[in-house]
Amino acid sequence: MNKAQVVEFFSRLAADNPHPETELEYGNPYQLVVAVALSAQATDIGVNKATRRLFEEVKTPAQMVALGEAKLKQHIKTIGLFNTKAKNVIALSEQLIADHGGEVPADRDALEKLPGVGRKTANVVMNVAFGAETFAVDTHIFRVGNRTGLARGKTPLAVELKLDKIVPQPFRLHAHHWLILHGRYVCKARTPECWRCVVCDLCAFKPKTPAPRQRGA
């Protein structure tokens, strides 16, 4: 896409959803770190179901450490890879206490040093908790970036760097949420719903998916 098309692309997504937000439920930056770490290879809906009662009880790293790994597993056992994730959450909580006084650092490099926190998780926390203009490339953004032609790349990092280069103001803060939600609900993995896509004419994907009644006609 050229610059004008990129602006038009995000203008339409912004008009369709002026105030996009993460669908993960959290009460403070620490709970956000935990929720995003738990969301790897899991749905936001599934994470929210598991963390609602957990976050009523645990609001700080110290409270998580006091809860302990065994009890944490009981809360999150419905989430994929819960054994490994529980171990990482306890470890990152201990590290936050030891290295950051129990506070979540507003620094991507420091976040990436926490157990179970990769670049995508760090980018989400930086964006959602601290208002940084970061691009957290998950499977949805990777797909949308490549399928539409907005930001093609062979790796999530390549797509992230391309987005960082091409996305203009005033769209940078919310860009990754617009793309995630678009990928989750419209530009779906198996069958993109092109007939109801607000950026369909700007998209490089072909052939466009027709509306259901046209497919069955």
Side-chain angles (χ1 to χ4, degrees):
M1 293 187 193
N2 60 39
K3 290 182 180 180
Q5 289 173 319
V6 172
V7 170
E8 181 64 20
F9 186 96
F10 282 104
S11 295
R12 293 186 195 177
L13 293 181
D16 191 54
N17 184 6
H19 305 289
E21 296 180 345
T22 178
E23 294 186 321
L24 289 171
E25 297 172 2
Y26 68 99
N28 59 38
Y30 170 68
Q31 290 183 338
L32 178 64
V33 172
V34 173
V36 180
L38 293 176
S39 71
Q41 300 180 47
T43 65
D44 287 1
I45 292 173
V47 172
N48 290 338
K49 285 181 179 178
T51 58
R52 281 187 191 122
R53 292 185 66 181
L54 173 66
F55 286 166
E56 288 176 3
E57 184 177 350
V58 175
K59 296 176 172 61
T60 67
Q63 290 174 340
M64 186 69 78
V65 173
L67 179 71
E69 187 176 327
K71 289 184 178 178
L72 174 58
K73 286 180 181 180
Q74 289 302 308
H75 279 282
I76 67 170
K77 61 185 178 181
T78 56
I79 300 175
L81 306 175
F82 73 94
N83 284 311
T84 299
K85 290 177 180 179
K87 189 182 299 293
N88 284 335
V89 167
I90 295 298
L92 75 83
S93 301
E94 291 173 337
Q95 193 165 320
L96 285 172
I97 295 168
D99 297 347
H100 303 285
E103 298 295 322
V104 175
D107 180 87
R108 183 165 60 192
D109 291 339
L111 287 167
E112 284 192 69
K113 291 177 182 177
L114 298 172
V117 176
R119 187 176 180 90
K120 185 196 78 171
T121 297
N123 278 333
V124 172
V125 174
M126 289 300 297
N127 179 270
V128 175
F130 302 116
E133 294 172 353
T134 54
F135 302 88
V137 178
D138 67 350
T139 56
H140 296 300
I141 293 184
F142 186 77
R143 179 176 68 255
V144 171
N146 278 286
R147 180 185 276 167
T148 64
L150 174 70
R152 289 196 169 112
K154 293 183 178 180
T155 65
L157 179 59
V159 172
E160 177 190 334
L161 296 177
K162 185 70 180 292
L163 288 171
D164 194 27
K165 182 178 179 180
I166 68 167
V167 178
Q169 296 292 7
F171 307 111
R172 293 179 63 81
L173 179 62
H174 295 310
H176 95 267
H177 278 129
W178 281 315
L179 294 174
I180 286 172
L181 295 171
H182 189 65
R184 185 173 290 165
Y185 296 112
V186 180
C187 196
K188 298 176 181 179
R190 291 188 178 181
T191 307
E193 298 182 359
C194 304
W195 70 89
R196 64 183 192 91
C197 173
V198 297
V199 292
C200 183
D201 58 309
L202 300 171
C203 171
F205 176 73
K206 293 179 182 178
K208 300 289 193 277
T209 309
R213 60 180 178 275
Q214 292 174 288
R215 292 206 305 271

